[in-house]
Amino acid sequence: MTFFGGHVMHFWLAWPLSLLAALVPVTAHDREVPAGRQADFAAAAREFGVPQSVLLGVAYLGSRWDTHAGRPSTAGGYGPMHLVDAVPAGAPTPGDALGDARGDDARPMPPRPVHMLSPLSAAAKPPSTTLPEAGRLIGVAPARLRDDPAANIRAGAALLASYHATQSAGRSASSDPADWYDAVARFSGADDPAAARQFADEVFAVIRAGMRRRTDDGYLVSLDPVPGLRVPRAHREPYPEEDEDVVFPDSDDTAALYDPAEVTAASGRSSSAECPASLACEWMPAAHERFGKKGNKDYGNHDRLFKTRHVDYIVIHDTEGGYQGIPTMIRDPKYVSWHYTIRSRDGHVAQHVKTNDLAWHAGNWDVNTRSIGIEHEGYLAKGGAWYTEAMYRSSARLVRYLAAKHGVPLDRAHILGHDNVPGTTPKTVAGMHEDPGPYWDWAHYFELMGRPLRGARKGDSVMIRPSYDDNRPRFTGCVTTKAGKECPPHGASTVWLHTAPRENAPLVSDIGKHGDKASTYSVYDHAARASTGQRYAVAERRDDWTAIWYLGQKAWFRNPAGRPVAVPAKGPLATPLRAGTRVYGRAYPERSAYTKAAAQPLTPLQYRIGPGQTYTVGDTITGSHYSAGALSPSRHVTTTGTTRYHQIQLGHRIAFVMAKDVRLIS
């Protein structure tokens, strides 16, 4: 493994306490008497001699101090301390292995036999565990550590103390958080030193800035900032723009996770991985080679370019499987590909395809040619499994860096979930993927990128923005063998959309997803859902309800003034000029533009929109098509036409309309 020649850059800024303090009211009682989980952290810190700031910082990176009702994270971690238990054998195949991730009907990918889709190789090393060892240290059975937050915190403190004792050669426990750096790095469970140090650096960033939030027990937990905390000298790497004696500043800058100078710093390093200076990234290249008997046409698993491409989107995926199998899969030329994978437990980043090359990940060739795909170790629904803060923070750093490098706007019209990518033709719409799903915390994600999803004064549209922790809509289907069973209550980023302004009204329909059948409350069914950050045109308001234009119909969601789930927003809008206006899943040029490559059909989707309806516009582009179909990029052809398209928020997914078919409202 290569990690920028062994260098690990330092994290300078974190989401500041002063901003979060404004979000959570603090009473005198909160400050004077620790209650709830705060008291559990304080007691465990005293018992095992761990600085409370260290204990809180480590726990925040794993769980954000929540218990998640005893359910495991994607990485198999339990409780506030994210103590990792053994991952069950037979992890499912990552979701992007299923279906045609290339999404090019001119050269569809053949389906692979199920037996060829195993994500684990025989040599795959199982991830290290911490829960059994922590339980032994305090004499508590593993089952209790999964369900009892106080015991979980005690066990995590004992484990940290044991690591500190080992690495300090038996000296008495230090009260200086800086002396616990090695113990924190070891707690990450990472096999490689660079990833372990990255985890410790992020914990130190949290401690420096401080953190405050109300956890799932209803009580406030607060980590007071330690603004002068340093990474120990032995672990600091000097760089031209840094002073070896630097003290990390306390800052209220909302651009908390990224310095634009990192683009320049990163581009000058010799490593093959493209990452911000604050991330230790591994270059794990995807296969690019011929196979089979069809010469150039049988190759995988991505396309390389000889010229600079334009990037419009960054697509967020989850793997629907464990990180263990990623090396085997990405090096298989018959498999799909994506640009990056982020590990749940410690936020470690691996890059597989250069960002200037085309990975096969989105299921839509047009989107693939204009996007970067990032997989996150995780499950859309598996029993309510949760994403770790370590992964969110690494991903936010990476996306902000990539957005700055490629000029991608940091908004939900350009930072897409895989579930927001449109189908290419009417036949492919129903089979498009649903990840990362309703449990991905988009609001927190954009906060970490320094671009909070805020409303606008006198907005002419609305942006969906429920409180993730408080918004717990009904879902079914988290247990695959019991599709109708209710999912455990869980924070979510989506709201349900109804045909009328009442809770018992049917959900709106999606003819592309279900034909003439009704939408469902399945966690995998986004046919009647709007997601955090998405902007919609308002169709009507009635009492506590708001209607938006959605798939050619009015879609109602409850939006009370005292507890709104949407905020006013501004931006361009488009209204159709005639009935039956067509929408498209890709922005291809007109037929006459193709002179060197086979013409691609302008196939509209099954949806129609008409006058009186309005849709938000996220971008305006000129139709183009990139024809690959050969291993060598010298044989690839780009066709650019004159047809202009507006990208609209049609439903849960984006779509495209021809500019000539609509009137733009600025």
Side-chain angles (χ1 to χ4, degrees), residues 46 144 183 191 231 252 317 457 483 496 525 545 573 655 657:
R46 287 193 302 270
R144 184 177 169 193
D191 293 329
V231 170
D252 288 342
H317 305 252
R457 292 184 179 180
W496 289 112
D525 187 356
W545 290 77
L573 304 167
V657 292

Side-chain angles (χ1 to χ4, degrees), residues 297-546:
K297 289 191 176 181
D298 279 346
Y299 70 93
N301 54 11
H302 61 284
D303 287 292
R304 293 183 178 173
L305 275 65
F306 64 87
K307 62 180 181 180
T308 302
R309 73 170 176 136
H310 181 74
V311 176
D312 289 320
Y313 309 113
I314 297 173
V315 181
I316 305 302
H317 305 252
D318 75 48
T319 59
E320 292 298 306
Y323 187 88
Q324 282 178 280
I326 297 300
T328 300
M329 294 181 291
I330 204 69
R331 290 167 180 153
D332 182 351
K334 298 181 181 180
Y335 208 67
V336 297
S337 61
W338 52 95
H339 291 89
Y340 296 87
T341 305
I342 303 181
R343 192 162 61 200
S344 173
R345 183 172 183 174
D346 55 7
H348 172 62
V349 178
Q351 184 178 5
H352 314 297
V353 177
K354 290 292 187 180
T355 59
N356 195 59
D357 293 335
L358 306 184
W360 304 344
H361 63 96
N364 181 317
W365 180 246
D366 183 38
V367 172
N368 280 342
T369 63
R370 299 188 283 125
S371 70
I372 295 169
I374 304 177
E375 290 278 2
H376 298 77
E377 183 186 14
Y379 300 92
L380 186 159
K382 187 183 177 184
W386 37 282
Y387 301 109
T388 67
E389 179 69 4
M391 184 167 68
Y392 273 127
R393 293 170 77 92
S394 288
S395 182
R397 289 182 186 274
L398 177 62
V399 169
R400 189 172 170 93
Y401 161 79
L402 293 172
K405 180 178 180 180
H406 294 279
V408 179
L410 284 173
D411 59 40
R412 286 286 278 117
H414 298 87
I415 310 301
L416 304 176
H418 197 178
D419 54 348
N420 306 135
V421 175
T424 55
T425 66
K427 291 182 179 179
T428 66
V429 170
M432 295 299 289
H433 285 223
E434 299 91 0
D435 60 298
Y439 299 140
W440 182 263
D441 192 344
W442 286 107
H444 181 57
Y445 194 46
F446 273 81
E447 287 170 353
L448 290 173
M449 286 190 279
R451 292 292 186 274
L453 298 171
R454 293 173 176 158
R457 292 184 179 180
K458 299 181 180 179
D460 49 15
S461 51
V462 292
M463 179 172 64
I464 305 301
R465 184 61 173 84
S467 168
Y468 181 89
D469 290 333
D470 297 331
N471 182 48
R472 299 193 166 207
R474 172 195 175 192
F475 290 110
T476 61
C478 287
V479 179
T480 54
T481 57
K482 300 178 180 179
K485 183 178 180 180
E486 298 280 333
C487 294
H490 200 292
S493 288
T494 60
V495 296
W496 289 112
L497 301 173
H498 299 267
T499 57
R502 61 179 191 274
E503 293 286 358
N504 62 352
L507 298 175
V508 295
S509 59
D510 182 343
I511 60 172
K513 182 89 172 165
H514 298 299
D516 58 359
K517 296 181 180 178
S519 299
T520 73
Y521 284 94
S522 169
V523 71
Y524 295 99
D525 187 356
H526 55 65
R529 294 206 305 254
S531 180
T532 292
Q534 291 180 323
R535 188 171 67 91
Y536 293 92
V538 176
E540 188 178 348
R541 287 189 172 92
R542 195 179 303 174
D543 298 326
D544 285 344
W545 290 77
T546 299

